[in-house]
């Protein structure tokens, strides 16, 4: 069973930092693309960051220069380091892994972790 568990969310003041973790189990994810989306109340879920199989990183324009995605293959974990946080970053953050299963590439999602940035 492929599972992803996010952690590290919480309440932080504007300008502060948090590091989110996404721990995988059921498979070794070192050769799979992983990333993060977020969803704020009343808004559509939006892309945040991705780490491709090639190790290339991509970021939403709104977080470039502030967020960094990375992974530790030994721990089967992907991270999202978030610096200079703004109230507009408040959302539930979801991680995903893209896995080839049953003849197709599929996304597996974690349950999300809440990030709240206060003024």
């Amino acid at each position: 069973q492929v599972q992803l568990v996010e952690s590290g969310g919480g309440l932080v003041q504007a300008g502060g930092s948090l590091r989110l973790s996404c721990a995988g189990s059921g498979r070794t994810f070192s050769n799979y693309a992983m990333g993060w989306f977020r969803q704020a109340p009343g808004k559509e879920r939006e892309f945040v960051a991705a780490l491709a199989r090639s190790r290339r990183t991509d970021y939403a324009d709104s977080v470039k220069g502030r967020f960094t995605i990375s992974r530790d293959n030994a721990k089967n974990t992907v991270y999202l380091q978030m610096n200079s946080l703004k109230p507009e970053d408040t959302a539930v953050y979801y991680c995903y892994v893209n896995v080839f299963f049953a003849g197709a590439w599929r996304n597996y999602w974690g349950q999300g972790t809440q990030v709240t940035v206060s003024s």
Side-chain angles (χ1 to χ4, degrees), residues 13-79:
Q13 291 186 330
S17 298
L18 286 173
R19 189 182 73 163
L20 305 184
S21 298
C22 177
S25 63
R27 290 196 185 193
T28 298
F29 300 137
S30 60
N31 198 37
Y32 295 99
M34 300 185 73
W36 296 86
F37 279 69
R38 68 187 182 187
Q39 187 167 26
K43 296 183 179 180
E44 296 181 349
R45 189 157 70 174
E46 65 176 347
F47 169 76
V48 176
L51 183 61
R53 294 178 65 195
S54 65
R55 300 187 296 179
R56 183 176 186 175
T57 58
D58 294 293
Y59 298 94
D61 288 342
S62 60
V63 307
K64 286 181 179 177
R66 300 188 297 119
F67 290 11
T68 303
I69 187 170
S70 63
R71 68 196 304 164
D72 185 337
N73 289 329
K75 298 180 179 179
N76 218 27
T77 298
V78 64
Y79 302 96

Side-chain angles (χ1 to χ4, degrees), residues 56-107:
R56 183 176 186 175
T57 58
D58 294 293
Y59 298 94
D61 288 342
S62 60
V63 307
K64 286 181 179 177
R66 300 188 297 119
F67 290 11
T68 303
I69 187 170
S70 63
R71 68 196 304 164
D72 185 337
N73 289 329
K75 298 180 179 179
N76 218 27
T77 298
V78 64
Y79 302 96
L80 186 68
Q81 178 66 46
M82 306 185 295
N83 298 326
S84 302
L85 283 163
K86 305 174 181 179
E88 64 194 48
D89 295 319
T90 296
V92 177
Y93 284 70
Y94 300 90
C95 70
Y96 71 86
V97 59
N98 193 234
V99 177
F100 192 80
F101 176 75
W105 289 95
R106 307 172 188 270
N107 283 340

